[in-house]
Amino acid sequence: MGGLLSVSIGTAAWATIAFLVVAYILKKMAWGPILKSLEERSQGIENALNEAEKARLEMSKLQAGNEQLLREARDERDKILAEAKALKDSIVSEARTKASEESTRLITAARLEIENQKKAAITELKNQVAVLSVDIAEKLTREKLSDGEKQKALNESLIAEIRSN
Amino acid sequence: MKITLKSTYRKAFRGFLATFIAFAFFFSANQTLASGGEEGGKFKAGEMIVHHISDAHSIHFFGPLTLPLPCIVKTDKGFDFFMSSVFMDEHHEMTKTYTSPSTGNTYALHHEQIYVVNGEAHAHDSHSSDTHKEAAHQDHNVHSEAVAVLHDNGTSDTVFVDPIADSLGSGMIAAIEEEEKIMPQEHFSGTPVIDFSITKSVLGMLLMLALVVFIFVKMAKAYEKRKGMAPKGMQNLLEPLVLFIKDEVAIPALGKKRAQKFLPFLLTVFFFIWACNMLGLIPFLGGFNITGTLSITLVLAAIVFIITTINGNAHYWGHIVWPPGVPLPIKFILVPIELLSVFIKPAVLMIRLTANINAGHIIILAFTSLIFIFGEKSQAAGYGVGVFATAFMIFMYFIELLVAFLQAYVFTLLAALYFGDATQEHHHEEAHH
């Protein structure tokens, strides 16, 4: 201690003992646990980051799946709609065909009926005419037989009668 | 928001620190004046500076406030234990002698070295030292000043011819050297003891080691208690430093695997040196200069040397004793150099740390002295210089705060590099990369 550059054995001895003891204590009680937990923490952070990355990937995968699902659903809907439309069209056209067929049939039937009625009417008329003709012939025959003149007038009136009929 | 808050705090802290330091210097300047810096009416800057940066047997705070420290000395007659206050006279100077009741030795303190002064009619008084001068002349072992400093190993009967002026070197201010020559040289004779005292530096070292243990054991407990959670409080403050030593010092120098082995030592050394450096910068604490004490840095360097030597592998020693790929004649030159470098490397660690810390303290003290040197000429000049000297000292203080960290870092980094060098494998393959 005499001068600045001298070395004191006592001081050096204290320094050696104290420093080595402290170095040992710190190694056992401080640096060991501190470095261990720092290592563990950095490991933990790394793990967490990896996990997050994995989760992110999974998420994006899931999202892609969702999109796929959505797209499929949309396609399905479109298909169903198209099918429905086609069905509707077919039903409508079918109905239309059926209706037209029905109407044609009805018209045909009506026409047939009219024809039949007409025929019946004509037949009836013919029968009536025949009856009337017979009647007239009968009356005429009776008049003629009684008076010539009268027969003639009768003829005339009968003809007029027929005509008015 | 966080950043602005932080910087506000920092600004406030800086302002506080600067003011505090400025006051500290004015006070410490007063204290140096009162504490023997001035002898015989003349202010001796060299003596004052060396007095302040040298290790001591007591801690002098300011004014008459001095903390005595325990002295443990070993002589041929055995150990003696006493407090350094036994040497203190009524003027708070360490001039008295002390006779131990157990060994019967009489001790005296001279320039912070304890001597046995048995049998010599010894009245330690530097001003009436005629008897000592005679004693010194009769003594055949009169050493030159430099020898006296170097041979301070406690073995021979040494006569001290005030080593202080020389231990500072020739770089001091010319005016001071002149004063030293004018002043009558002080003579003292006695046998140096082997001194195991708890000196100022030893006490500081023990305190700092205790502090480091306290902080880091507590921190380790916090890690165990808050397992897996974010760091908090002290953890937050010191964890970046621990990680800095681990990731920026140990792993680059040693690699991940070998770093595990040396990391506890590197961390201890770093925080110990840093704590000691910082303690030396706290004003009013008696100016600890732990890492400026050669005995302590010597131990640190020696531990680095021992660890390097023990862990040195075949590859390391092979390169030293028989460097490969070098022509034979060159080997004869290279091998001694390599062998020397084994010792030089840790020695450089020691010198760098000691010199840097002492240099910082010397600069600050020199500027303090400047005030008194000019103040002696005229009071106005003293005040005038005082303003500039204080401003410069504040500036130096901030540099010292940086140096305190930097030197701890450099010591740790170089120790890590030496360990890395000693344990390296596949050197040649790595060199190609």
Side-chain angles (χ1 to χ4, degrees):
Chain A
M1 259 148 289
L4 198 59
L5 298 178
S6 61
V7 170
S8 154
I9 295 165
T11 306
W14 281 117
T16 311
I17 296 163
F19 184 84
L20 289 179
V21 166
V22 164
Y24 181 78
I25 291 172
L26 283 177
K27 188 183 175 180
K28 288 286 157 209
M29 290 176 73
W31 306 132
I34 288 172
L35 292 173
K36 205 178 115 225
S37 48
L38 281 179
E39 187 61 36
E40 273 171 10
R41 198 207 296 154
S42 74
Q43 202 68 45
I45 289 168
E46 205 167 303
N47 284 349
L49 284 176
N50 285 342
E51 296 269 298
E53 178 66 18
K54 221 190 277 173
R56 203 181 62 78
L57 272 177
E58 218 146 278
M59 199 66 166
S60 70
K61 225 184 269 172
L62 214 68
Q63 216 157 19
N66 278 351
E67 239 157 64
Q68 176 74 17
L69 223 64
L70 208 64
R71 207 177 312 120
E72 271 170 18
R74 207 173 287 142
D75 286 354
E76 189 79 0
R77 189 199 63 186
D78 287 352
K79 218 170 82 187
I80 288 168
L81 274 178
E83 265 173 20
K85 200 164 180 289
L87 196 66
K88 182 201 80 177
D89 286 351
S90 79
I91 286 168
V92 166
S93 70
E94 203 176 315
R96 194 170 286 148
T97 332
K98 257 189 189 158
S100 82
E101 269 171 13
E102 184 69 17
S103 67
T104 319
R105 196 182 59 81
L106 279 175
I107 288 165
T108 320
R111 202 167 281 153
L112 207 65
E113 180 70 20
I114 291 166
E115 202 64 36
N116 287 346
Q117 289 293 331
K118 206 170 96 186
K119 272 179 189 161
I122 289 170
T123 315
E124 177 91 3
L125 198 64
K126 275 180 182 164
N127 289 344
Q128 277 296 356
V129 169
V131 171
L132 276 174
S133 300
V134 171
D135 276 357
I136 291 164
E138 194 184 272
K139 277 175 182 171
L140 270 174
T141 322
R142 266 178 209 153
E143 286 280 330
K144 222 170 161 180
L145 293 170
S146 57
D147 192 356
E149 216 50 49
K150 271 189 191 171
Q151 217 177 7
K152 209 180 170 180
L154 183 67
N155 257 354
E156 293 281 301
S157 73
L158 279 174
I159 289 160
E161 197 179 305
I162 289 161
R163 272 182 191 160
S164 71
N165 274 344
Chain B
M1 184 65 204
K2 204 176 172 188
I3 292 159
T4 49
L5 203 69
K6 246 184 181 174
S7 67
T8 317
Y9 272 127
R10 206 176 295 154
K11 269 181 198 162
F13 177 70
R14 274 185 192 162
F16 169 74
L17 199 68
T19 324
F20 186 69
I21 292 165
F23 273 108
F25 276 117
F26 276 121
F27 278 108
S28 68
N30 268 332
Q31 138 198 0
T32 49
L33 197 63
S35 71
E38 202 171 3
E39 258 176 56
K42 263 279 196 193
F43 175 71
K44 289 158 82 183
E47 192 167 307
M48 186 278 277
I49 289 171
V50 174
H51 174 77
H52 273 81
I53 61 173
S54 297
D55 203 0
H57 284 84
S58 57
I59 302 175
H60 181 217
F61 297 106
F62 44 84
L65 193 59
T66 301
L67 182 74
L69 292 173
C71 295
I72 303 163
V73 297
K74 188 188 179 299
T75 57
D76 303 336
K77 293 176 189 165
F79 281 98
D80 258 324
F81 305 90
F82 50 90
M83 294 301 282
S84 69
S85 50
V86 297
F87 297 120
M88 196 178 277
D89 64 14
E90 60 274 20
H91 306 297
H92 298 284
E93 300 282 334
M94 301 298 212
T95 54
K96 281 163 82 175
T97 57
Y98 166 75
T99 308
S100 159
S102 56
T103 54
N105 279 334
T106 302
Y107 300 106
L109 189 68
H110 180 74
H111 286 310
E112 293 303 340
Q113 167 80 54
I114 298 172
Y115 295 89
V116 179
V117 288
N118 288 348
E120 293 171 55
H122 194 88
H124 185 115
D125 186 357
S126 55
H127 297 301
S128 60
S129 56
D130 289 347
T131 49
H132 306 308
K133 274 184 185 167
E134 281 172 26
H137 287 304
Q138 283 161 11
D139 198 318
H140 295 294
N141 294 328
V142 178
H143 294 284
S144 72
E145 292 155 15
V147 172
V149 176
L150 289 172
H151 278 237
D152 183 20
N153 52 12
T155 51
S156 65
D157 197 345
T158 315
V159 171
F160 265 75
V161 186
D162 197 358
I164 279 157
D166 275 272
S167 59
L168 250 187
S170 53
M172 280 307 292
I173 309 159
I176 301 162
E177 282 180 355
E178 232 168 84
E179 282 170 26
E180 299 289 345
K181 279 173 201 158
I182 295 162
M183 288 297 291
Q185 283 187 334
E186 192 182 325
H187 290 84
F188 181 88
S189 70
T191 317
V193 298
I194 301 172
D195 193 351
F196 288 100
S197 303
I198 306 294
T199 58
K200 195 165 84 174
S201 287
V202 172
L203 181 74
M205 177 190 68
L206 294 176
L207 285 174
M208 286 305 103
L209 285 172
L211 182 74
V212 169
V213 166
F214 173 75
I215 287 174
F216 286 102
V217 169
K218 211 175 146 207
M219 188 174 155
K221 286 217 177 90
Y223 273 106
E224 272 164 8
K225 207 160 56 183
R226 297 171 47 79
K227 214 175 182 76
M229 282 190 266
K232 196 178 147 194
M234 198 61 102
Q235 276 176 287
N236 246 341
L237 186 72
L238 293 167
E239 194 187 291
L241 288 167
V242 174
L243 286 174
F244 170 70
I245 297 299
K246 181 177 168 245
D247 295 333
E248 308 297 325
V249 175
I251 290 176
L254 289 151
K256 202 152 187 160
K257 209 177 128 214
R258 283 177 294 151
Q260 296 298 322
K261 186 178 176 188
F262 297 106
L263 205 47
F265 173 76
L266 293 173
L267 284 164
T268 308
V269 157
F270 173 77
F271 285 106
F272 169 62
I273 294 176
W274 192 34
C276 290
N277 291 348
M278 293 302 275
L279 181 67
L281 293 177
I282 301 174
F284 297 116
L285 273 186
F288 281 98
N289 190 20
I290 306 159
T291 37
T293 307
L294 207 58
S295 313
I296 289 168
T297 51
L298 175 76
V299 169
L300 292 177
I303 293 170
V304 170
F305 170 74
I306 290 166
I307 293 176
T308 314
T309 310
I310 288 174
N311 288 290
N313 55 19
H315 179 267
Y316 169 69
W317 291 114
H319 268 251
I320 288 167
V321 297
W322 203 246
V326 176
L328 191 67
I330 308 238
K331 277 194 171 102
F332 284 107
I333 308 166
L334 209 57
V335 169
I337 294 173
E338 288 279 359
L339 278 174
L340 265 180
S341 81
V342 171
F343 299 98
I344 289 170
K345 279 172 175 177
V348 163
L349 278 184
M350 168 186 83
I351 293 163
R352 180 185 297 108
L353 180 58
T354 316
N356 267 289
I357 300 308
N358 276 324
H361 287 223
I362 288 170
I363 287 174
I364 288 172
L365 288 164
F367 272 86
T368 315
S369 307
L370 217 55
I371 303 173
F372 294 103
I373 291 165
F374 278 90
E376 270 182 351
K377 309 274 189 274
S378 86
Q379 205 177 12
Y383 277 111
V385 170
V387 171
F388 291 106
T390 307
F392 189 78
M393 275 188 276
I394 291 164
F395 168 69
M396 275 312 298
Y397 231 98
F398 284 109
I399 291 185
E400 281 307 293
L401 285 172
L402 176 70
V403 167
F405 179 84
L406 204 66
Q407 287 307 316
Y409 165 64
V410 166
F411 193 101
T412 315
L413 178 70
L414 287 174
L417 286 174
Y418 296 162
F419 298 159
D421 204 26
T423 54
Q424 195 161 55
E425 285 154 31
H426 315 299
H427 181 81
H428 290 293
E429 281 159 47
E430 274 175 29
H432 292 299
H433 293 303

